[in-house]
Amino acid sequence: MVTSRDNTLLKDLRKLSQDNTGYRKQGRIWLEGDHLCRAALARGFKPAVGVFCESFWPVAPTEWAQAAIKTIVIPDALMADISGLESPARMGFVLDLPAPVALAPGAASLILDRVQDAGNVGSMLRSAAAFGFSQVIALRGTAALWSPKVLRAGMGAHFALQLVEGLAPEDLDALTVPLLVTSSHQGFFLHQQALPMPCAWAMGHEGQGVGDALMTRASLKVRIDQPGGEESLNVAAAAAICLYASSLALTRA
Amino acid sequence: MVTSRDNTLLKDLRKLSQDNTGYRKQGRIWLEGDHLCRAALARGFKPAVGVFCESFWPVAPTEWAQAAIKTIVIPDALMADISGLESPARMGFVLDLPAPVALAPGAASLILDRVQDAGNVGSMLRSAAAFGFSQVIALRGTAALWSPKVLRAGMGAHFALQLVEGLAPEDLDALTVPLLVTSSHQGFFLHQQALPMPCAWAMGHEGQGVGDALMTRASLKVRIDQPGGEESLNVAAAAAICLYASSLALTRA
């Protein structure tokens, strides 16, 4: 039982919870709430610390109570103090940040080129996991993948993926799979195009789209037919359509 | 030139900008920033008030400076005070809220069943407009469609759509187009299914999905094949895939 707001662990947790890139300094991530914690356990992750609200601890399921190497119980008010949520969760796990992995050159991949919005990034991680894209590559300038907001929006997809952060466009030259981009103005329509699989789909900045460094490296530029007019799509919506189309190409092959 | 923070118009603007449902009380909406304002003008909307930062006013394009019935210029600090954004825009328009419209029974429609997140709702409005779904129907409990956050996420799609808010599930009985829903566990795969068009796609609450009242009214339940596994899709990602699939059915017909 920890009751002091000044406890070192709780201070670290507050930073993890409130600082998007705090995990890089601490080498740990903060998973708040049942859903994320369950997703991590289901994928075989072993939490370093379990943190439980005093009011929840007596009724917490055994598999959670015993999941972490170390477990602490804190007053509900302290959990609210740590939490980044309007409705603080009743429990959370601290996880060691997975060790950095090298780029897998032949893996079906989603490349994020300076995507800014945490909700968009999280949504795209979910789509990648759902459609069999096992690797997500975040170029420098993309929202921090293990930040609390992206973790929440990812709903556990993080734990099903190989995540590579902080690459430069030239690092993508190591990929052996073809690089695909969408463009509003160039290329064939997605639905009329035979799609290679595995491949790497690149999705770009919300305002500026995919940068020139990737455009020039692309094997294939396609556009999504929009019979309703010139409205642009949200980047995570476009990603969902492209990743789904590629997964169908594989199903049908 | 208005310089007092207590000016009635500015007080109203602050409320519009910071209160998600303020537009219902005031009967007006606040469009902040170039992109939204341009989208409204392009669709023929006539702003009631144009609001310009002092620093931007001398260089504002004539078509903006003359667009509104009334125009005011305010110190940059007052714009920051009104703004809901981290980087306040240099101009904005106040628009009369479009008059409520009746449900169009035969229109290709997107139904939002208690969707909570403003980013998701805005993304779905963009997808609806892009894929030729001219009507969006928000059931009670859905995020307020004309709130500043949904307006921003919608990127102008609001002005290309017929929006109907505050309906109950039984109001949908007036629709003459078939009601389609997605389900993780029931129905045919989307890509193996002939899709009727026009139709009405229903998308549900981020946690609970589409409610029973809509499930029982559905003509067709389909699921999106997810070869990557059991990860769930973000609701706006699922909507993009479904609306796109329907628009292709029309293109190919």
Side-chain angles (χ1 to χ4, degrees):
Chain A
M1 179 85 193
V2 174
T3 56
S4 164
R5 199 175 174 282
D6 298 326
N7 176 277
T8 309
L9 174 62
L10 296 192
K11 279 179 161 175
D12 285 349
L13 282 185
R14 265 197 298 279
K15 280 185 205 147
L16 280 183
S17 170
Q18 285 154 23
D19 175 359
N20 285 338
T21 57
Y23 68 86
R24 292 181 186 154
K25 293 163 212 149
Q26 294 193 32
R28 304 197 295 183
I29 56 176
W30 167 235
L31 304 181
E32 184 169 344
D34 306 15
H35 185 92
L36 274 179
C37 290
R38 192 176 290 121
L41 290 185
R43 294 282 176 173
F45 286 80
K46 177 80 181 169
V49 188
V51 184
F52 291 81
C53 273
E54 203 172 3
S55 63
F56 177 57
W57 175 246
V59 294
T62 314
E63 72 267 25
W64 285 359
Q66 299 179 350
I69 296 168
K70 177 182 166 184
T71 297
I72 66 170
V73 179
I74 62 176
D76 293 29
L78 276 188
M79 184 67 105
D81 189 46
I82 292 169
S83 174
L85 305 179
E86 273 185 42
S87 309
R90 50 195 190 166
M91 56 83 59
F93 286 149
V94 179
L95 222 64
D96 289 329
L97 184 64
V101 288
L103 191 73
S109 304
L110 169 65
I111 298 164
L112 305 178
D113 180 16
R114 299 160 300 126
V115 179
Q116 301 296 298
D117 181 79
N120 284 339
V121 173
S123 171
M124 289 195 274
L125 295 186
R126 293 170 72 180
S127 294
F131 297 126
F133 285 72
S134 60
Q135 175 169 257
V136 175
I137 302 162
L139 300 190
R140 271 172 224 143
T142 298
L145 296 186
W146 295 95
S147 72
K149 282 182 191 165
V150 175
L151 274 166
R152 268 201 298 284
M155 294 282 285
H158 287 72
F159 306 113
L161 294 164
Q162 163 137 325
L163 302 178
V164 190
E165 277 200 304
L167 295 197
E170 53 271 27
D171 295 326
L172 300 176
D173 294 339
L175 288 174
T176 55
V177 294
L179 178 63
L180 278 57
V181 296
T182 57
S183 162
S184 330
H185 309 295
Q186 298 176 54
F188 292 98
F189 286 120
L190 178 70
H191 67 280
Q192 294 172 336
Q193 181 63 49
L195 294 172
M197 187 72 181
C199 69
W201 273 106
M203 296 288 152
H205 182 282
E206 283 84 352
Q208 300 155 21
V210 169
D212 288 342
L214 267 70
M215 276 294 182
T216 57
R217 284 177 166 81
S219 304
L220 189 62
K221 295 184 180 77
V222 297
R223 46 181 162 167
I224 298 171
D225 190 20
Q226 299 184 9
E230 295 305 303
E231 304 301 326
S232 70
L233 291 171
N234 165 274
V235 64
I241 290 169
C242 292
L243 298 175
Y244 175 66
S246 283
S247 80
L248 283 188
L250 198 61
T251 309
R252 287 169 180 166
Chain B
M1 181 85 192
V2 174
T3 56
S4 164
R5 199 175 174 282
D6 297 327
N7 174 278
T8 309
L9 174 62
L10 296 192
K11 280 178 158 173
D12 284 350
L13 281 184
R14 265 196 300 279
K15 280 186 206 146
L16 280 183
S17 169
Q18 286 154 23
D19 175 359
N20 285 339
T21 56
Y23 68 85
R24 291 180 185 154
K25 294 164 212 148
Q26 293 193 30
R28 302 196 297 181
I29 56 176
W30 167 233
L31 304 181
E32 186 170 344
D34 306 15
H35 185 93
L36 274 179
C37 289
R38 193 176 289 121
L41 290 185
R43 293 283 176 174
F45 285 80
K46 178 81 181 168
V49 188
V51 183
F52 291 81
C53 274
E54 203 173 359
S55 63
F56 177 59
W57 175 246
V59 295
T62 314
E63 72 267 25
W64 285 358
Q66 299 180 349
I69 295 167
K70 176 181 166 182
T71 298
I72 66 170
V73 179
I74 62 176
D76 292 29
L78 275 189
M79 184 66 106
D81 188 48
I82 292 169
S83 176
L85 306 178
E86 275 185 41
S87 309
R90 52 193 189 167
M91 54 83 60
F93 287 149
V94 179
L95 222 64
D96 289 328
L97 184 65
V101 288
L103 191 73
S109 304
L110 170 64
I111 298 164
L112 306 178
D113 180 15
R114 299 160 300 126
V115 178
Q116 300 295 297
D117 181 79
N120 284 340
V121 173
S123 172
M124 289 196 274
L125 295 186
R126 292 171 72 181
S127 294
F131 297 127
F133 285 72
S134 59
Q135 176 168 260
V136 176
I137 303 162
L139 300 189
R140 272 172 223 143
T142 297
L145 295 187
W146 294 96
S147 73
K149 283 181 190 163
V150 175
L151 274 166
R152 268 200 298 284
M155 293 281 285
H158 287 73
F159 306 114
L161 294 164
Q162 163 137 325
L163 302 178
V164 189
E165 279 199 303
L167 295 197
E170 52 270 27
D171 294 326
L172 300 175
D173 294 338
L175 288 175
T176 55
V177 292
L179 178 63
L180 278 57
V181 297
T182 57
S183 163
S184 329
H185 309 294
Q186 298 177 56
F188 292 99
F189 287 120
L190 178 69
H191 67 280
Q192 293 172 336
Q193 180 64 48
L195 294 172
M197 187 70 180
C199 70
W201 273 106
M203 296 288 150
H205 183 279
E206 283 84 352
Q208 300 155 20
V210 169
D212 289 343
L214 265 69
M215 276 294 185
T216 56
R217 286 177 164 81
S219 304
L220 188 62
K221 294 185 181 77
V222 297
R223 46 181 162 166
I224 298 171
D225 189 20
Q226 299 185 9
E230 296 303 305
E231 305 300 325
S232 70
L233 291 172
N234 164 275
V235 64
I241 290 168
C242 293
L243 298 176
Y244 175 66
S246 283
S247 80
L248 283 187
L250 198 61
T251 308
R252 286 169 181 166

